[in-house]
Amino acid sequence: MTFGEQPAYLRVASDLREKIVNGSLPPHTRLPSQARIREEYGVSDTVALEARKVLMAEGLVEGRSGSGTYVRERPVPRRIARSGYRSQTGAGPFRQEQTAEGARGTWESRSEQEGASPEVAERLGIEPGDRVMRTRYVFRDAGEPMMLSTSWEALAVTGRTPVMLPEEGPLGGCGVVERMAAIDVVVDNVAEQVGARPGLAEELLALGGVPGHVVMVIERTYYASGRAVETADVVVPADRYRIAYHLPVR
């Protein structure tokens, strides 16, 4: 293979991908069989199989038991707005941002205590095994699962206070900033890092995806005078949503 030349299976996958994108192979159309790919492109069975695997890994096609491989319908990505904290509403970031986008957002949650894992402990600046409140969320738009979130708060900060449970009590459902202010902790900074990875099986099951789909992960941490008071992982299906940031110029 000369320098810069693609392997045969990638060239076949690229051509089939172009046909899917330009509509020559529309959604729900059966992908050419392995034998057809072999004959049309003059490649081996192994190359034809690997090309099909590439398209499946990219989420462009899906296998149907006993029927073959078909082009998947490609959803039009919708926006998830990330515009930061706005104090005037008294609501949490999800409620603020989805209201601004005209979405009909609802969520369900479950909180429980656990010992901090090494990763969570590092993010919160505590020791592994220290007690934290973990809260898991499923966010929905018009009933459709759109986003997952898992947050952790050190009980050294919130334990035995009215805000120990994020979704219960007088400030249940409010944002981290308001809840912390109620116990005299002034949040003055929030940091987010965005990455992507294959979705875990349980994540894709909750989000209605299929194995191999990619998710975007927002790692968010709230700080008060340099001390982390809450950290969270927000998981969004990459094929259905785009994360849009609206950041003020200072």
Side-chain angles (χ1 to χ4, degrees), residues 18-71:
E18 177 62 25
K19 291 179 179 179
I20 292 171
V21 171
N22 68 24
S24 298
L25 288 172
H28 310 295
T29 298
R30 186 173 179 177
L31 195 70
S33 67
Q34 191 167 311
R36 176 74 178 274
I37 292 174
R38 183 189 62 215
E39 294 171 4
E40 182 175 344
Y41 293 94
V43 296
S44 67
D45 280 334
T46 299
V47 169
L49 178 60
E50 290 302 313
R52 288 157 63 92
K53 286 181 178 179
V54 168
L55 298 178
M56 292 190 75
E58 293 176 349
L60 294 174
V61 300
E62 59 185 356
R64 299 180 186 175
S65 180
S67 180
T69 304
Y70 291 79
V71 177

Side-chain angles (χ1 to χ4, degrees), residues 138-205:
V138 178
F139 297 97
R140 304 178 188 276
D141 176 11
E144 176 187 331
M146 61 175 293
M147 184 166 64
L148 306 176
S149 177
T150 303
S151 71
W152 297 269
E153 295 178 351
L155 289 174
V157 176
T158 62
R160 299 181 183 276
T161 74
V163 300
M164 185 174 73
L165 293 169
E167 295 297 322
E168 298 182 22
L171 292 175
C174 289
V176 173
V177 176
E178 289 85 1
R179 291 176 49 250
M180 293 297 166
I183 57 173
D184 297 322
V185 175
V186 179
V187 173
D188 54 18
N189 192 21
V190 58
E192 292 191 351
Q193 299 183 65
V194 182
R197 59 167 171 75
L200 304 179
E202 57 268 28
E203 293 170 341
L204 296 175
L205 180 63

